[in-house]
Amino acid sequence: RELGFRSYMRERRPDLEVVETMPVAESSDAVRVATGHLIEKTSDLVGIYVVGGGFEGALEALVAKGRQRSVALVANEITPVSRQGLIDGTISMLIATPVRQLARSFIEEVVGTLASMGSELSRPDMLPFDIVISENVP
């Protein structure tokens, strides 16, 4: 996810600086603290992409600093909290994995590997994803 994001930004928005990744535990608390630090040290912050879990902490930090409308928040997966964030405008976009399709592909891969006794190597496909914004919230 991070590599794809960085590649996209280099190609489409070279005028924006992408700060270094802040690896934290995928918990709301850890993400809230990291986001708070990022907001404090980056006065011209325009967006945050929470690649892993714990995006709720980023949302809490943005709200606490009054930046929930001025900083675009991008998160992964559709949850009750992320769906509500899209509706109320505190989350700009979700990058969601179609879980059923991913599970089906995984099962097909396992069955194929077992059937060939592992003699045939699979060819990895691109991981599918959906882009969800307020206008297409399921």
Side-chain angles (χ1 to χ4, degrees):
R1 289 177 173 167
E2 180 186 355
L3 289 174
F5 173 76
R6 287 182 176 279
S7 174
Y8 177 88
M9 294 302 289
R10 271 193 311 274
E11 182 179 323
R12 303 289 176 100
R13 291 303 307 263
D15 58 310
L16 294 177
E17 176 188 357
V18 178
V19 298
E20 288 302 312
T21 300
M22 299 175 68
V24 297
E26 293 192 20
S27 72
S28 296
D29 290 338
V31 174
R32 183 179 58 256
V33 170
T35 300
H37 291 308
L38 181 63
I39 292 168
E40 289 171 7
K41 74 176 192 175
T42 313
S43 61
D44 59 349
L45 185 67
V46 296
I48 297 174
Y49 175 29
V50 180
V51 176
F55 78 88
E56 299 91 344
L59 184 55
E60 290 170 14
L62 288 169
V63 169
K65 301 284 186 180
R67 300 288 307 274
Q68 70 271 24
R69 301 275 186 226
S70 63
V71 175
L73 177 59
V74 177
N76 291 307
E77 307 313 335
I78 300 169
T79 68
V81 174
S82 65
R83 177 179 283 114
Q84 184 58 46
L86 282 172
I87 292 168
D88 67 24
T90 55
I91 294 178
S92 301
M93 182 175 77
L94 296 174
I95 302 173
T97 307
V99 177
R100 288 180 191 254
Q101 182 181 353
L102 183 62
R104 186 175 297 116
S105 296
F106 175 73
I107 291 168
E108 289 170 0
E109 186 68 30
V110 169
V111 169
T113 299
L114 291 173
S116 70
M117 301 295 283
S119 64
E120 294 181 29
L121 296 177
S122 67
R123 289 176 281 149
D125 292 329
M126 291 291 286
L127 180 63
F129 61 91
D130 295 323
I131 293 179
V132 184
I133 56 176
S134 61
E135 289 78 9
N136 71 336
V137 176

